[in-house]
Amino acid sequence: MIPAIPLLADYGISPEFGFLPLELPLELLPDPYYNRWETIVANLQALLLSKRLRGVITQLPVHSTSRLQHPAEWRRAYVLLSFMTHAYIWGGDKPEE
């Protein structure tokens, strides 16, 4: 017997948008607790050009993710942290570990 074809929704896939979420992504995390992440990413180019990014990120306290309430917030946090990580590693004269 042939198994049933799984539903796209079971895998978070939309027939209209594929793997993209149905709602638009957040432009900012709503909790002010994460404002430092938002500020760094908003000023990423200036921090890279002035070679201050690594110092700013190194001084950043570790933030908990416990205040992220919805999948859209988790996705926004993932984008912010990914941008900061990429810029930290590749944003200097030589790659950082």
Side-chain angles (χ1 to χ4, degrees):
M1 178 171 190
I2 299 174
I5 297 174
L7 298 174
L8 294 176
D10 293 342
Y11 298 93
I13 302 171
S14 158
E16 187 175 346
F17 298 109
F19 289 99
L20 296 176
L22 298 175
E23 67 279 348
L24 290 174
L26 292 178
E27 292 184 21
L28 292 170
L29 287 170
D31 192 330
Y33 177 75
Y34 300 107
N35 281 352
R36 288 185 179 181
W37 291 358
E38 294 285 359
T39 301
I40 289 171
V41 172
N43 295 293
L44 202 57
Q45 182 178 8
L47 290 168
L48 283 167
L49 291 173
S50 65
K51 299 189 183 292
R52 294 182 13 230
L53 178 76
R54 287 181 179 166
V56 169
I57 290 178
T58 299
Q59 294 175 8
L60 196 63
V62 175
H63 280 44
S64 170
T65 57
S66 64
R67 295 181 183 212
L68 300 172
Q69 302 297 316
H70 304 286
E73 293 177 10
W74 280 93
R75 283 191 289 272
R76 176 66 184 172
Y78 179 80
V79 167
L80 295 172
L81 294 170
S82 297
F83 273 60
M84 288 190 290
T85 301
H86 183 85
Y88 184 90
I89 292 170
W90 298 105
D93 294 329
K94 63 178 184 168
E96 187 65 43
E97 291 189 25

